[in-house]
Amino acid sequence: MIKSLKKFSIFLASVALLVGLQSEAFAAKKSRTLSKTIKQDHVKCGVSQGLPGFSNADAAGNWTGIDVDVCRAVAAAVLGDSGKVKFTPLTAKERFTALSSGEVDVLARNTTWTLSRDADLNLTFVGVNFYDGQGFMVRKSSGITSTNGFKNGISVCTNTGTTTELNMRDFFNSKKISYEPVAFEKADEVVQAYDAGRCDTYTTDKSGLAAQRTKMKNPDEHIVLPETISKEPLGPAVRHGDQVWEDIVRWSLFAMIEAEEYGITSANADSLKTSENPQIKRLVGSEGELGTLLGLGNDWSLNIIKQVGNYGESYKRNIADTGILPARGPNALWTNGGLLYVAPAR
Amino acid sequence: MNYLDNIIKPKQANQNTLVIFGSILILISFLDVVLLSVFDINLTGSSKGISFFLPLLLGFIGMYYIRFDHTNFPLINRFNKSLNIDWLNSIFTLLSIFVLLKFVPLILNWLIFDANFIGTAKEDCTGGGACWVFINVWLKRFVYGLYPDSETWRINLAFILLFVTIGASYLAKPKFKKYIILFLLFVFPFIGLSLISGDVGGLVYVETNVWGGLALTLIVSIFAIIFCFPIGVMLAMGRRSELPVVKYFSVGFIELWRGVPLITVLFMAANMFPLFLPEDVFLDKLIRCIIGIILFEAAYMAEVVRGGLQSLPKGQYEAAKSLGMGYWRMHLFVILPQALKIVIPGIANTFIALFKDTPLIFIVGLLELLGMIDLAKTNPKWLGFAAEGYVFAALVYFVFCYSMSRYSQKLEKRLSTER
């Protein structure tokens, strides 16, 4: 009995090894996700169910937003058409299961890159498309101009069940200020409570604060304090184990950022094909074989830039022009004092 | 003394004068509340904190004077009989009227008078009331979801076909009626589905991830209603069966599905189920969710129907058997028609609950009516119109649920045979 079990387990192990070897060899040549995406002719992308500036539908039914643009860039790179994306709106709770079950292949849902998510949830973050951080909003009439002005017993409006709540606790505990949390499930309720004067300050990510501020009865009566109490690098993620696909998504994002660095826009991309600068020529596909290395056509980045635009255009269209955060802040290029610094595409 | 006595104890002789005097007092109290709440004019000089106190006193005295057994004014008689029986009753009447007078104008102002109806952008809403422009601009999305505009005629056609067939089933002769209903139950769902999803007969394939809005709410509920009913009936019969396998399977199924929350079922269907499937087998998320809802609601339906089966006297079963009917014929022609008739209110209850449960599919990322409203209200150009969206959703849900309820009542009346 035991002997036969042993035999059987050896057999199982060798089968597993064989299958593993084969898939390894397969992956070296081509990515499973890539071939699946090409076969079904659309990129399956998970986005949020509506977050101002990040992912949203307009009244005509088109998805827009800075997260949405990452998905469109991947579609432009892989399929040559930024419109070939199947968007799946996901809740915060189901986003990771949706990615690991193959319901979506790219998760661009304002997800904070953390160690536990990266290591524990079998996903890989490919980069950062928005640097956010938690901040506070107060009424101008309160006279508070920085978090140093917070006094004991301050009441704080916040969302339940997110890292926002934990960051807030860490912040107040380390500053030894007693506070009274007023927590709600939905952002709308939090804003309403704060606007009705139920708490002295309202905390969430700064992009969220800026967007919610426009909803207030009198937006000019409120200010966002300059301090940022947490790092929230938001970025697209893919499944573990498909490095080719991971590279494609990463470099689609990087191409957008690098295009801004070199001043390539959707308007001038075609005319820059004959540019003097070899880096620009590589990005618009008139020099080098970068696309082939990724397993894509050589016009992959040209398609991204022409159809989606560079990162700056995307930011302007989705975040600045909609009145959410007109100033780039940390999301400016490194050359302009921001944090956007990507590896060179060459 | 005599004069005072007359004031405290109203006499039949002075009836007309007293009634007129009392009515005037009551009208003044109403006027005061209206002026105070709508125009901010304080007639009686009472402070805003106790704005109801003085009008209440005036009204109370007025009510006292008009409270006769019989007056010459028919309207007052009716008023006395229903709303002014004794002093306690009169206070409640006054307070209810005051509350209505105070809040109805405010609500109407928000809903209609201060509201904006025409426009294309947030900036057109200047009235301070509701911004119905929001609903107006987004209506197509609320109804069709993200379904491409050029193809929405397919959804329209499917639903027009549905309503025409339902209308035809009303008007048709009983002989054809049976076939129309069979068509409606077993053929139409698939015609409608292929019309909306496409990929047949030259129609463009529209993937389910863009389905949404009211159309999706209706698609999900119609499918769930049509399929949960027969499954529920079978389970109910199964639970009462004498065959142990059938019986315990039914009991197990019903108790399992009733024992878990719908959200869990949906989450499993949407996210966990694909993990168990082989790589190349793909079942659409929407279909997985609909199947989940059908099985969940079938368990509830089974218990409703079982209630009907158990309420029938044993004699009915025995009579059917003594006529030589077998199990299926007995149930089909004798038991079920009677049992289902009894449980129509319960069935309607389950269907209405099911219809109102559909917004839960929002949590697995399907954007039905409420989900679309949530999406629209986070659009950077349209921030801050949650109230308008939810009022609209409430209205739509009310219309559908109320018509379902009315229909079931009509059905009950039509099928009622006094026993």
Side-chain angles (χ1 to χ4, degrees):
Chain A
M1 179 69 189
I2 293 174
K3 219 176 176 182
S4 66
L5 251 180
K6 217 174 175 181
K7 256 189 189 164
F8 186 65
S9 62
I10 292 173
F11 167 73
L12 266 186
S14 52
V15 165
L17 198 71
L18 254 173
V19 170
L21 278 179
Q22 254 184 347
S23 63
E24 198 80 341
F26 186 68
K29 266 183 274 166
K30 224 175 184 185
S31 140
R32 201 180 215 149
T33 317
L34 178 61
S35 48
K36 198 179 81 182
T37 303
I38 291 170
K39 199 176 125 202
Q40 66 203 7
D41 205 26
H42 59 236
V43 173
K44 293 200 286 186
C45 189
V47 292
S48 85
Q49 287 163 302
L51 187 73
F54 286 85
S55 53
N56 229 294
D58 61 15
N62 303 311
W63 284 93
T64 58
I66 199 162
D67 278 346
V68 165
D69 281 351
V70 172
C71 304
R72 293 202 187 282
V74 175
V78 176
L79 305 166
D81 181 353
S82 68
K84 288 184 174 168
V85 190
K86 181 182 166 185
F87 291 104
T88 305
L90 298 169
T91 58
K93 291 182 187 81
E94 61 161 354
R95 54 183 160 182
F96 301 121
T97 17
L99 182 64
S100 52
S101 71
E103 188 80 31
V104 299
D105 294 324
V106 181
L107 181 70
R109 198 204 168 281
N110 66 303
T111 305
T112 307
W113 184 353
T114 63
L115 186 147
S116 51
R117 281 176 181 167
D118 206 338
D120 196 27
L121 288 173
N122 279 336
L123 45 87
T124 302
F125 287 88
V126 300
V128 176
N129 72 330
F130 194 88
Y131 289 95
D132 215 337
Q134 194 174 333
F136 289 93
M137 186 195 283
V138 293
R139 279 177 206 84
K140 266 185 189 163
S141 57
S142 70
I144 300 173
T145 52
S146 94
T147 52
N148 294 328
F150 284 169
K151 295 198 177 65
N152 274 331
I154 188 167
S155 53
V156 190
C157 276
T158 183
N159 283 75
T160 51
T162 62
T163 46
T164 317
E165 218 178 356
L166 302 174
N167 292 334
M168 174 186 74
R169 200 175 62 198
D170 290 352
F171 170 78
F172 281 107
N173 287 350
S174 67
K175 286 224 162 196
K176 298 209 165 42
I177 300 171
S178 70
Y179 69 105
E180 184 194 325
V182 183
F184 297 91
E185 170 78 29
K186 285 198 161 189
D188 282 312
E189 293 172 276
V190 187
V191 176
Q192 202 132 45
Y194 168 74
D195 207 14
R198 282 190 57 187
C199 29
D200 306 318
T201 176
Y202 162 37
T203 180
T204 187
D205 286 353
K206 279 190 164 176
S207 64
L209 284 180
Q212 303 296 358
R213 187 166 166 264
T214 61
K215 270 196 221 173
M216 309 263 170
K217 278 181 218 126
N218 208 338
D220 294 333
E221 282 176 7
H222 308 274
I223 52 165
V224 176
L225 298 180
E227 286 88 350
T228 304
I229 64 163
S230 74
K231 289 186 289 183
E232 309 284 343
L234 309 176
V238 295
R239 267 185 305 279
H240 254 189
D242 193 335
Q243 279 82 355
V244 176
W245 181 250
E246 182 190 325
D247 287 343
I248 291 171
V249 178
R250 171 176 300 125
W251 287 99
S252 300
L253 170 65
F254 284 9
M256 283 177 78
I257 298 175
E258 186 141 290
E260 190 193 0
E261 203 176 319
Y262 286 94
I264 313 170
T265 65
S266 52
N268 69 11
D270 270 328
S271 63
L272 284 175
K273 273 183 179 167
T274 53
S275 158
E276 299 289 303
N277 188 335
Q279 183 54 26
I280 291 179
K281 280 171 100 172
R282 274 193 285 268
L283 273 173
V284 295
S286 58
E287 194 182 302
E289 296 267 299
L290 294 180
T292 327
L293 296 177
L294 287 170
L296 305 171
N298 222 18
D299 55 352
W300 67 286
S301 50
L302 180 70
N303 286 336
I304 295 177
I305 300 165
K306 267 168 68 179
Q307 296 176 21
V308 186
N310 66 32
Y311 182 84
E313 289 176 89
S314 171
Y315 188 96
K316 186 171 184 310
R317 188 168 59 225
N318 298 307
I319 311 270
D321 288 354
T322 48
I324 295 170
L325 267 180
R328 289 282 288 270
N331 293 299
L333 293 171
W334 63 286
T335 47
N336 299 336
L339 293 173
L340 289 185
Y341 180 101
V342 294
R346 61 164 188 255
Chain B
M1 201 60 214
N2 210 352
Y3 182 69
L4 200 70
D5 208 41
N6 198 4
I7 290 176
I8 295 169
K9 283 186 192 146
K11 275 193 185 139
Q12 203 71 25
N14 303 329
Q15 200 203 51
N16 282 355
T17 338
L18 285 171
V19 165
I20 290 168
F21 177 62
S23 314
I24 289 172
L25 277 184
I26 295 171
L27 285 181
I28 288 175
S29 73
F30 288 171
L31 193 68
D32 186 39
V33 172
V34 170
L35 287 178
L36 189 65
S37 56
V38 182
F39 301 104
D40 230 14
I41 301 167
N42 204 336
L43 200 67
T44 48
S46 56
S47 79
K48 235 186 168 173
I50 46 162
S51 56
F52 281 180
F53 181 70
L54 228 77
L56 189 64
L57 200 69
L58 285 180
F60 183 69
I61 298 169
M63 293 284 236
Y64 180 70
Y65 282 131
I66 65 169
R67 201 178 300 135
F68 284 103
D69 284 342
H70 185 80
T71 65
N72 297 331
F73 309 94
L75 198 69
I76 300 255
N77 284 341
R78 255 204 359 238
F79 184 77
N80 279 340
K81 218 168 164 184
S82 49
L83 297 168
N84 189 16
I85 298 160
D86 52 27
W87 64 271
L88 189 67
N89 191 278
S90 74
I91 288 181
F92 281 127
T93 302
L94 283 168
L95 279 178
S96 329
I97 293 175
F98 289 171
V99 168
L100 284 180
L101 284 176
K102 195 170 164 66
F103 290 108
V104 167
L106 286 181
I107 293 170
L108 284 182
N109 268 347
W110 188 82
L111 281 176
I112 300 167
F113 300 118
D114 286 346
N116 289 87
F117 295 88
I118 304 154
T120 50
K122 192 181 180 177
E123 286 68 36
D124 292 319
C125 288
T126 48
C131 182
W132 298 120
V133 177
F134 173 63
I135 306 294
N136 214 349
V137 169
W138 285 85
L139 191 62
K140 252 195 174 147
R141 297 283 76 79
F142 293 164
V143 176
Y144 302 111
L146 300 173
Y147 206 84
D149 277 347
S150 56
E151 305 290 326
T152 47
W153 62 269
R154 280 152 56 176
I155 296 182
N156 293 341
L157 185 66
F159 281 102
I160 289 172
L161 207 62
L162 174 69
F163 291 124
V164 166
T165 336
I166 290 176
S169 78
Y170 258 113
L171 303 173
K173 283 179 189 149
K175 210 168 118 192
F176 299 111
K177 208 166 173 170
K178 200 162 63 188
Y179 297 107
I180 294 177
I181 287 174
L182 282 177
F183 168 81
L184 207 60
L185 287 184
F186 298 107
V187 185
F188 177 76
F190 299 100
I191 295 180
L193 200 63
S194 44
L195 193 63
I196 294 172
S197 89
D199 216 15
V200 281
L203 292 173
V204 186
Y205 180 46
V206 182
E207 279 203 77
T208 53
N209 68 313
V210 297
W211 298 19
L214 182 60
L216 183 64
T217 304
L218 292 176
I219 291 169
V220 170
S221 356
I222 288 171
F223 266 87
I225 284 173
I226 286 177
F227 287 99
C228 85
F229 184 65
I231 298 176
V233 172
M234 296 301 280
L235 284 170
M237 283 162 62
R239 195 169 182 164
R240 286 169 56 79
S241 161
E242 277 151 18
L243 309 168
V245 176
V246 176
K247 182 174 176 175
Y248 290 111
F249 171 78
S250 305
V251 172
F253 183 95
I254 292 169
E255 296 305 333
L256 177 76
W257 287 89
R258 275 205 314 175
V260 288
L262 184 54
I263 287 189
T264 321
V265 172
L266 288 173
F267 195 83
M268 286 291 285
N271 294 310
M272 306 306 283
F273 190 63
L275 291 174
F276 308 135
L277 282 180
E279 189 95 354
D280 45 346
V281 177
F282 183 74
L283 195 58
D284 193 273
K285 178 155 126 182
L286 178 63
I287 294 174
R288 296 199 304 264
C289 286
I290 292 182
I291 291 175
I293 296 177
I294 288 172
L295 296 180
F296 182 84
E297 297 292 344
Y300 281 87
M301 188 53 69
E303 289 298 282
V304 170
V305 174
R306 192 167 66 97
L309 292 177
Q310 264 166 353
S311 71
L312 283 191
K314 223 174 165 193
Q316 294 291 326
Y317 290 88
E318 282 160 1
K321 272 183 192 155
S322 66
L323 284 175
M325 288 183 173
Y327 181 83
W328 291 107
R329 285 222 293 168
M330 170 176 86
H331 273 92
L332 225 66
F333 297 116
V334 180
I335 305 300
L336 280 178
Q338 297 183 71
L340 292 181
K341 203 163 63 191
I342 296 169
V343 293
I344 284 175
I347 294 174
N349 218 3
T350 313
F351 284 169
I352 289 173
L354 186 157
F355 185 72
K356 289 194 294 185
D357 277 347
T358 53
L360 281 178
I361 62 175
F362 178 50
I363 67 127
V364 293
L366 294 168
L367 299 172
E368 43 64 66
L369 176 62
L370 224 51
M372 274 317 296
I373 290 171
D374 271 341
L375 185 67
K377 77 180 167 53
T378 55
N379 187 299
K381 287 184 193 129
W382 293 97
L383 289 175
F385 295 108
E388 285 84 348
Y390 291 146
V391 168
F392 174 72
L395 192 73
V396 172
Y397 271 96
F398 178 77
V399 167
F400 278 98
C401 292
Y402 186 68
S403 11
M404 272 155 96
S405 152
R406 295 300 300 184
Y407 179 76
S408 85
Q409 279 168 27
K410 239 170 96 183
L411 207 62
E412 232 176 289
K413 238 179 240 162
R414 210 174 60 196
L415 296 178
S416 88
T417 40
E418 293 299 326
R419 285 206 302 179

